[in-house]
Amino acid sequence: MITIKSSKEIEKMRAAGKITGDALREIEKHIKPGVSTAELDKIAYNFIISKGATPSFLHYNGFPGSICASPNDWVVHGIPSKDVVLAEGDIISIDMGACKDGYHGDAARTYAVGKISDEAQKLIDVTKQSFFEGIKQVVHGAKLGDVSAAIQEYVEMNGYSVVRDLVGHGIGKNLHEDPNVPNFGHKGKGVKLAQGMTLAIEPMVNAGEYDVCVLEDDWTVVTEDGSLSAHYENTILVTKDGCEILTL
Ligand code: MG
């Protein structure tokens, strides 16, 4: 069931979204060669708690961290670990959420670790821009397929592929709500968007083919061909005239 948020609920979504966006900025300050993803997880946890919120991901379906930390060819759901240490030239995707007063924010960024290749930087830039191409289509009365198709078109025009097995989602009182928000699809198809819907739109983009597989820990999703992958996500509110990004 797709929920339409009341103005009171939207206020709470804004508060949760702000903490989520601020937490990512805090994490970003600490991204450098030699830092482990367990250290980044701790920074995220402490920041979220200090704002009177709780980490949305911690214990979600048994997930052991406050962030998902996925370097290089890991797509999403990487478990923070002291054994995963960032190195010069890596890229690292951080996905996280914060819950405040019963409402969630969810966002992801891919960061450069030190100096990275032009190729890796282009992947990060295209992934981020694909989100913004997608949300240009968001407005009361539009179809979800308009958003999905815009993301896919921009990514593929740049020679990359959009992951099919994982998609964005509605968000609110629950971290994952209806509808599914694929990053691929057809204009004019799918759910009709309405003001008051809140969605997590999150292109996951591979430099190679779109196929992914899951490692033996049952969490970590990696590209099947070993190519780099990037992620960019924000929680947005559908409005009469467009959308408002809640997690910048
Ligand atoms: Mg999400």
Side-chain angles (χ1 to χ4, degrees):
M1 191 187 74
I2 300 173
T3 58
I4 301 293
K5 275 73 180 180
S6 67
S7 54
K8 251 190 186 162
E9 289 180 296
I10 289 166
E11 273 313 308
K12 291 181 179 181
M13 295 284 298
R14 284 194 183 104
K18 179 169 190 330
I19 294 167
T20 305
D22 288 346
L24 279 166
R25 260 183 296 281
E26 185 61 29
I27 294 166
E28 182 179 13
K29 288 184 203 159
H30 295 86
I31 289 183
K32 54 176 186 259
V35 170
S36 74
T37 56
E39 289 171 76
L40 298 176
D41 185 60
K42 199 169 177 197
I43 289 158
Y45 177 86
N46 289 337
F47 183 88
I48 293 165
I49 296 294
S50 78
K51 301 296 173 190
T54 53
S56 302
F57 290 15
L58 188 59
H59 309 314
Y60 185 83
N61 292 335
F63 189 77
S66 298
I67 61 170
C68 293
S70 310
N72 301 323
D73 62 325
W74 294 14
V75 179
V76 285
H77 303 167
I79 297 173
S81 166
K82 62 178 174 29
D83 298 326
V84 178
V85 177
L86 302 183
E88 179 86 20
D90 283 348
I91 62 172
I92 175 79
S93 298
I94 305 288
D95 188 1
M96 54 147 302
C99 182
K100 173 87 171 163
D101 290 335
Y103 288 81
H104 295 272
D106 187 2
R109 312 278 183 259
T110 300
Y111 300 113
V113 183
K115 177 143 183 53
I116 61 171
S117 68
D118 292 347
E119 203 181 324
Q121 188 61 55
K122 186 188 166 197
L123 178 67
I124 292 175
D125 295 343
V126 167
T127 304
K128 179 177 179 178
Q129 187 57 35
S130 73
F131 165 87
F132 287 98
E133 295 299 322
I135 65 163
K136 282 180 193 168
Q137 303 299 322
V138 175
V139 64
H140 179 81
K143 291 290 185 71
L144 193 52
D146 302 346
V147 182
S148 305
I151 293 171
Q152 180 179 11
E153 189 181 321
Y154 185 78
V155 167
E156 292 180 353
M157 192 177 81
N158 280 281
Y160 299 139
S161 60
V162 160
V163 172
R164 303 295 200 269
D165 291 3
L166 299 139
V167 296
H169 48 93
I171 179 169
K173 275 188 188 168
N174 300 295
L175 183 59
H176 294 107
E177 298 185 352
D178 289 335
N180 279 340
V181 182
N183 301 299
F184 56 94
H186 299 283
K187 247 185 215 169
K189 302 275 184 197
V191 169
K192 201 174 190 182
L193 299 179
Q195 55 180 319
M197 283 183 186
T198 43
L199 305 171
I201 298 181
E202 52 174 321
M204 288 154 267
V205 177
N206 296 349
E209 301 299 321
Y210 61 68
D211 310 86
V212 297
C213 46
V214 181
L215 298 185
E216 271 178 10
D217 61 19
D218 281 338
W219 278 108
T220 313
V221 178
V222 303
T223 59
E224 206 168 278
D225 60 10
S227 65
L228 292 177
S229 187
H231 190 191
Y232 189 86
E233 173 184 25
N234 283 301
T235 299
I236 64 125
L237 166 71
V238 180
T239 66
K240 191 158 76 63
D241 307 313
C243 75
E244 178 183 335
I245 303 175
L246 304 179
T247 49
L248 274 185

